[in-house]
Amino acid sequence: MSRVFLDYAAITPIDKKVAQEMEKAQKFWANPSSLHQEGEIAKRVLEEARIKIARILHCKANEIFFTSGGTESLNLAIFGVVFKYKKSNSKIPHIITSTIEHPAVLEPIKHLLKNKEVEVSFISPNEKGLISPESIKKEIKENTVLVVIQHGNNEIGTIQPIRKIKEVIENFKLKIENSSRAYLLVDACQSVLYENISLESLGADLLVLDGIKMYGPRGVGILAVRHSVPIESIVFGGGQEGGLRSGTENVPGAVGLAKALEIATEMREKESARLTKLRDYAIAKILKPARLASESVAGGEISQLSLNGGLENRLPNNINICLSHFAKASRDESNKLDSEFLVIKLDTLGFAVSAASACHTLSLENGSYVIESLGNKNCGSSSLRITLGRSTKKSDLDKFISALKKIVHR
Amino acid sequence: MSRVFLDYAAITPIDKKVAQEMEKAQKFWANPSSLHQEGEIAKRVLEEARIKIARILHCKANEIFFTSGGTESLNLAIFGVVFKYKKSNSKIPHIITSTIEHPAVLEPIKHLLKNKEVEVSFISPNEKGLISPESIKKEIKENTVLVVIQHGNNEIGTIQPIRKIKEVIENFKLKIENSSRAYLLVDACQSVLYENISLESLGADLLVLDGIKMYGPRGVGILAVRHSVPIESIVFGGGQEGGLRSGTENVPGAVGLAKALEIATEMREKESARLTKLRDYAIAKILKPARLASESVAGGEISQLSLNGGLENRLPNNINICLSHFAKASRDESNKLDSEFLVIKLDTLGFAVSAASACHTLSLENGSYVIESLGNKNCGSSSLRITLGRSTKKSDLDKFISALKKIVHR
């Protein structure tokens, strides 16, 4: 049975051209920190990769730091900025973030909070999944060191108004004398394939990317940090990556990441348009007319389904639907039509989708905190995330929708 | 011009069989945390790699944690044990380590020391580079949480008496009531190719390996942690790797590391014997008779050279020679025959060797702290590390020795 993979927000396969570049780069296997020719060549290959990435992200090459992935990058950004701040300030640092960030943002922040190292304002999104710049304006204050907002959400695909959030921060800084702080950290892991996420266009001070989310290498990520941002290491050793991230550099990994970013940038416009069309086709077919979870209008090919998050400002590859009506209806008989049941049932029918994020499946019993943040508690544990990718065709979605119909109209 | 690479302690190329296994594993590209079939298969592949590694290291599969390399593993081990200890103990934790550890051990420990989070006993080696178990016995006390000793040194190749150090720790624990602490952390990155470094044989509570030092994948390492060791995360997020190391798992990386460890284990005895013979041949040819840097006997094909570290208890692939006599002699004329000059000069003649460790070249002006620890200050900045690998042949060493002769007898 041929399977249909619709879980590209969890991970993407490695692009063949990326794999080829990495294989070629294996001949530059020496340690880039070595003084000899082999080391120098490896260093040059590494730095060429860094330059390519910097050009695409509109920053300087030495503002790009290679890490082991998105999680490490986000932890380094958060801990690195907070600990550096604490060295020269007696006041407790303040962080603004949203309730729908990835666990790799929320968990390090909660860890700091538990240890009383920071104070935090958690901003809730509106029912469409959007963080309003106005809400940041209300929370920002003199000791705010970080504003951490995801560019594209990993569960509901909402694209946040990062540029406007940046303006709020800048306006605040203008009012406060000597305030050069309140750095904007943007997690762009999910949106890099579809949006212009250069530091310049977003106004980000720190930016995070992950190879696995962009048809790139596994175990390789980026943290871009503007020179103006005071930051320190969280892992210590040989002092690689300008002293910020110790550990022997992964040359083929860096080469693969640069190639993946190049391909993503080349494909961005066309692929975004193609997937937006496919996404909207599928949403219309499922929901007809497309509705928000918060609205309770009936209709659509599968009645009583609703979309989690707004249709506008949404990643082209993200569909997230709430089936709480069916969950409720079935609760009396089998108590089973929840997210996990749906994922497993669809899996047996040949479709790979997910309930929340892949990370979040580790503690699925709690439902999706992202979807619950939208205000509809019932949807948290009875939603499906369907995410499209480069291989997704219209026929895949047609097959998926018929399978979904069968399950909910059983 | 065909080049001779003699810097395998800095890094090893990836074994072709390892690369092939990793390429094959690329088809299991799904996120191992996903609930669907693709995710489950990826998870199974990941866990099979973990089981293979656990069998070789004589521990349980869930005592193996994948990281991004040796540096991260060592940082996680040190910070993770210290921070966990501090949660339930008001007394400041005490660490015992040696002055010749890798920067990935010394730097995190110095960071903790600077922040007054620990107290540390730094043990100096004897002139042969050995850490005596007796010196650990003198320093160990009730609040000792970690004894951190490298199995095989990365600069001078000394193999430490880990098993005897473990006995010292165990004997101390027997004397102190309720003392289950003082965990033994062993950095086995350099010795895995040549020595049995299973947790059982060493008596290690925590063990660190790195793919790049064992003809394995780049950006992948292992931290093995016995169940009995209380440890916490340093990076937070999705809760992968049993909650200890968040970040999407690198499946091909884990597969590659398991394969590299299997190959290393299969080849260990034969390759150790082959390289020991080559090493001793080269040392004899250079030094005839082999001497310690601390002795000042003349002789050998190149007179006035001496070996840094003892010939016994030495990694089969490590040669480290002091040329301080020549450095001193040349100081008057060109002041140039130091480590850096030698490495660069040999490089132009077609030989890749190193001064200290690759990491250490980043701050070479200070000389090698490892070699200085042996008691001969002059050797610190005028020594050469020559490390052999799977491709090294006798003829490579002959060529190298003639080149070295030319330089020092110029």
Side-chain angles (χ1 to χ4, degrees):
Chain A
M1 187 177 68
S2 91
R3 302 213 8 122
V4 174
F5 190 84
L6 291 168
D7 195 18
Y8 289 96
I11 200 161
T12 51
I14 189 163
D15 187 293
K16 268 185 192 154
K17 280 176 254 161
V18 171
Q20 278 162 11
E21 285 283 307
M22 288 175 73
E23 213 190 306
K24 271 194 264 168
Q26 270 178 18
K27 69 168 175 275
F28 312 114
W29 55 267
N31 191 320
S33 299
S34 294
L35 285 176
H36 46 64
Q37 221 180 88
E38 285 82 354
E40 266 178 35
I41 294 169
K43 177 89 179 156
R44 205 185 308 147
V45 172
L46 176 73
E47 295 312 318
E48 277 165 14
R50 203 188 303 276
I51 289 166
K52 276 185 194 170
I53 292 166
R55 277 197 194 129
I56 293 174
L57 299 183
H58 286 163
C59 63
K60 298 201 179 82
N62 56 10
E63 292 176 325
I64 299 293
F65 301 90
F66 291 108
T67 70
S68 67
T71 295
E72 186 193 334
S73 291
L74 288 163
N75 275 260
L76 171 54
I78 294 165
F79 290 138
V81 168
V82 164
F83 292 145
K84 185 75 180 178
Y85 170 90
K86 286 176 87 88
K87 275 199 176 144
S88 52
N89 287 279
S90 55
K91 213 170 173 190
I92 193 164
H94 174 242
I95 296 176
I96 301 173
T97 191
S98 88
T99 55
I100 60 169
E101 298 299 306
H102 190 275
V105 164
L106 292 176
E107 294 303 321
I109 290 177
K110 283 181 195 164
H111 178 79
L112 288 168
L113 199 56
K114 214 169 80 185
N115 291 350
K116 301 194 174 73
E117 308 246 33
V118 293
E119 47 180 69
V120 185
S121 301
F122 291 100
I123 312 267
S124 290
N126 67 12
E127 83 282 2
K128 295 186 179 183
L130 284 166
I131 304 300
S132 85
E134 204 54 40
S135 61
I136 309 274
K137 196 174 169 183
K138 273 183 203 150
E139 297 297 326
I140 196 165
K141 47 187 183 176
E142 226 178 309
N143 58 328
T144 304
V145 290
L146 274 176
V147 177
V148 193
I149 302 290
Q150 205 174 17
H151 187 248
N153 185 269
N154 52 308
E155 289 197 34
I156 54 171
T158 323
I159 298 167
Q160 303 300 342
I162 299 293
R163 189 77 226 179
K164 284 189 180 149
I165 289 169
K166 178 65 174 184
E167 278 166 29
V168 165
I169 297 171
E170 288 307 307
N171 286 337
F172 173 79
K173 282 182 184 172
L174 287 175
K175 280 192 299 184
I176 305 295
E177 251 179 283
N178 297 323
S179 173
S180 59
R181 287 180 229 110
Y183 301 106
L184 178 58
L185 164 57
V186 179
D187 168 5
C189 293
Q190 289 289 341
S191 48
V192 59
L193 296 172
Y194 311 114
E195 297 283 319
N196 177 1
I197 47 85
S198 79
L199 276 83
E200 217 173 68
S201 68
L202 297 179
D205 299 301
L206 304 103
L207 186 92
V208 170
L209 295 177
D210 193 328
I212 56 161
K213 305 291 192 193
M214 51 196 273
Y215 301 88
R218 275 86 256 274
V220 190
I222 287 172
L223 174 63
V225 187
R226 285 286 192 206
H227 283 151
S228 52
V229 181
I231 186 168
E232 64 174 52
S233 309
I234 57 170
V235 152
F236 306 85
Q240 290 88 347
E241 295 294 302
L244 188 61
R245 203 271 183 178
S246 285
T248 305
E249 303 92 335
N250 178 349
V251 177
V255 167
L257 206 120
K259 185 70 183 175
L261 187 57
E262 277 186 337
I263 294 171
T265 308
E266 275 164 32
M267 291 181 72
R268 198 174 67 219
E269 275 187 51
K270 265 199 179 169
E271 185 66 358
S272 288
R274 187 183 79 86
L275 290 183
T276 302
K277 229 167 130 179
L278 280 185
R279 178 199 68 187
D280 291 349
Y281 164 78
I283 290 177
K285 206 164 172 192
I286 297 171
L287 304 184
K288 204 193 291 171
R291 287 167 294 112
L292 292 179
S294 53
E295 302 170 42
S296 53
V297 194
E301 277 199 28
I302 309 172
S303 59
Q304 309 292 358
L305 293 190
S306 54
L307 189 67
N308 291 312
L311 189 56
E312 279 175 22
N313 304 309
R314 187 180 195 103
L315 290 175
N317 75 326
N318 181 291
I319 302 170
N320 195 314
I321 47 173
C322 174
L323 296 99
S324 71
H325 172 81
F326 295 96
K328 226 183 285 171
S330 67
R331 193 151 293 161
D332 304 321
E333 27 170 308
S334 66
N335 197 22
K336 267 296 198 185
L337 202 57
D338 59 2
S339 303
E340 199 175 337
F341 169 81
L342 284 163
V343 169
I344 291 167
K345 183 74 193 164
L346 283 161
D347 188 46
T348 62
L349 295 174
F351 301 90
V353 298
S354 79
S357 80
C359 289
H360 197 55
T361 58
L362 297 164
S363 55
L364 198 67
E365 62 276 11
N366 302 316
S368 158
Y369 64 88
V370 172
I371 292 170
E372 282 174 8
S373 279
L374 305 180
N376 192 338
K377 287 271 173 201
N378 292 330
C379 291
S381 51
S382 51
S383 288
L384 274 187
R385 179 181 73 174
I386 302 112
T387 46
L388 325 183
R390 289 187 189 156
S391 308
T392 308
K393 296 180 301 289
K394 190 162 166 275
S395 58
D396 294 334
L397 296 172
D398 286 331
K399 278 185 227 163
F400 170 75
I401 293 164
S402 350
L404 186 63
K405 268 195 227 173
K406 263 183 230 159
I407 296 174
V408 297
H409 289 153
R410 63 183 175 156
Chain B
M1 186 176 69
S2 92
R3 301 209 14 117
V4 175
F5 189 85
L6 290 169
D7 194 18
Y8 289 96
I11 200 161
T12 52
I14 190 164
D15 187 292
K16 268 184 195 153
K17 279 177 255 163
V18 171
Q20 279 162 10
E21 285 283 308
M22 288 175 71
E23 213 190 306
K24 271 193 264 169
Q26 269 178 19
K27 70 168 174 275
F28 312 113
W29 55 267
N31 192 320
S33 299
S34 294
L35 284 176
H36 44 65
Q37 218 180 91
E38 285 82 353
E40 265 177 35
I41 293 169
K43 177 87 179 159
R44 205 185 309 148
V45 172
L46 177 72
E47 295 313 317
E48 276 165 13
R50 203 187 303 275
I51 290 167
K52 276 185 193 170
I53 292 165
R55 277 196 193 129
I56 294 174
L57 299 184
H58 286 164
C59 63
K60 298 203 179 80
N62 56 8
E63 292 176 325
I64 298 293
F65 301 89
F66 291 108
T67 70
S68 67
T71 295
E72 186 194 333
S73 291
L74 288 163
N75 275 261
L76 172 54
I78 294 165
F79 290 139
V81 168
V82 164
F83 291 146
K84 184 76 181 179
Y85 170 90
K86 287 176 87 89
K87 274 199 177 145
S88 51
N89 287 278
S90 54
K91 214 170 173 189
I92 193 164
H94 173 243
I95 296 177
I96 301 173
T97 190
S98 88
T99 55
I100 60 169
E101 298 300 305
H102 190 275
V105 164
L106 293 176
E107 294 304 321
I109 289 177
K110 283 179 194 164
H111 179 79
L112 288 169
L113 199 56
K114 215 168 78 184
N115 291 349
K116 301 193 174 73
E117 307 246 34
V118 292
E119 47 180 68
V120 186
S121 300
F122 291 100
I123 311 266
S124 289
N126 67 12
E127 83 281 4
K128 294 186 179 183
L130 284 166
I131 305 299
S132 85
E134 204 54 39
S135 62
I136 308 276
K137 195 174 169 183
K138 273 183 201 149
E139 297 297 327
I140 196 165
K141 48 188 181 176
E142 227 177 310
N143 58 328
T144 305
V145 289
L146 274 175
V147 177
V148 193
I149 302 290
Q150 206 174 17
H151 187 249
N153 185 270
N154 53 308
E155 289 197 35
I156 53 171
T158 323
I159 298 167
Q160 303 300 342
I162 299 293
R163 188 76 226 181
K164 283 190 180 148
I165 289 169
K166 177 65 175 183
E167 279 166 28
V168 165
I169 297 171
E170 287 307 307
N171 286 338
F172 173 78
K173 280 182 185 173
L174 287 176
K175 280 193 298 186
I176 305 294
E177 250 179 282
N178 298 322
S179 173
S180 60
R181 286 180 230 111
Y183 301 107
L184 178 59
L185 165 57
V186 179
D187 168 4
C189 293
Q190 289 289 342
S191 47
V192 59
L193 296 171
Y194 310 114
E195 297 284 320
N196 176 1
I197 48 82
S198 79
L199 275 84
E200 216 172 69
S201 68
L202 298 179
D205 298 301
L206 303 102
L207 186 93
V208 170
L209 295 177
D210 194 328
I212 56 162
K213 304 292 192 193
M214 50 195 275
Y215 301 87
R218 276 85 256 274
V220 190
I222 287 172
L223 173 62
V225 187
R226 286 285 191 205
H227 283 151
S228 52
V229 181
I231 185 167
E232 64 175 51
S233 308
I234 58 170
V235 153
F236 305 84
Q240 290 88 346
E241 294 292 305
L244 189 60
R245 203 272 182 180
S246 284
T248 305
E249 304 91 336
N250 178 349
V251 176
V255 166
L257 206 119
K259 185 69 184 174
L261 187 57
E262 277 185 337
I263 295 171
T265 308
E266 274 163 32
M267 291 181 72
R268 198 173 68 218
E269 274 189 50
K270 266 198 177 170
E271 185 66 358
S272 287
R274 187 182 80 86
L275 290 183
T276 302
K277 228 167 131 180
L278 280 184
R279 176 198 71 186
D280 291 349
Y281 165 78
I283 291 177
K285 206 162 172 192
I286 298 171
L287 305 183
K288 206 193 289 171
R291 286 166 296 111
L292 293 179
S294 53
E295 302 169 42
S296 54
V297 193
E301 276 199 28
I302 309 170
S303 60
Q304 309 291 358
L305 292 191
S306 54
L307 189 68
N308 290 311
L311 189 56
E312 280 175 22
N313 305 309
R314 188 180 195 102
L315 290 175
N317 75 326
N318 182 292
I319 303 170
N320 196 315
I321 48 174
C322 174
L323 297 101
S324 71
H325 172 82
F326 296 94
K328 226 183 284 172
S330 67
R331 193 151 293 163
D332 305 323
E333 25 170 310
S334 66
N335 197 21
K336 266 296 198 186
L337 200 57
D338 59 3
S339 303
E340 198 175 337
F341 169 81
L342 284 164
V343 169
I344 291 167
K345 183 74 193 165
L346 282 161
D347 188 46
T348 62
L349 296 174
F351 301 90
V353 297
S354 78
S357 80
C359 288
H360 196 56
T361 59
L362 298 163
S363 55
L364 198 68
E365 61 276 11
N366 301 315
S368 159
Y369 64 88
V370 173
I371 292 171
E372 283 174 9
S373 278
L374 305 179
N376 192 338
K377 286 271 173 200
N378 292 330
C379 291
S381 52
S382 51
S383 287
L384 275 186
R385 178 181 74 173
I386 302 113
T387 46
L388 325 183
R390 288 187 189 157
S391 308
T392 309
K393 295 180 301 289
K394 190 161 166 273
S395 58
D396 295 334
L397 296 172
D398 285 331
K399 280 185 226 162
F400 170 75
I401 294 164
S402 350
L404 186 63
K405 267 195 227 172
K406 263 182 228 158
I407 297 174
V408 298
H409 289 154
R410 63 185 176 156

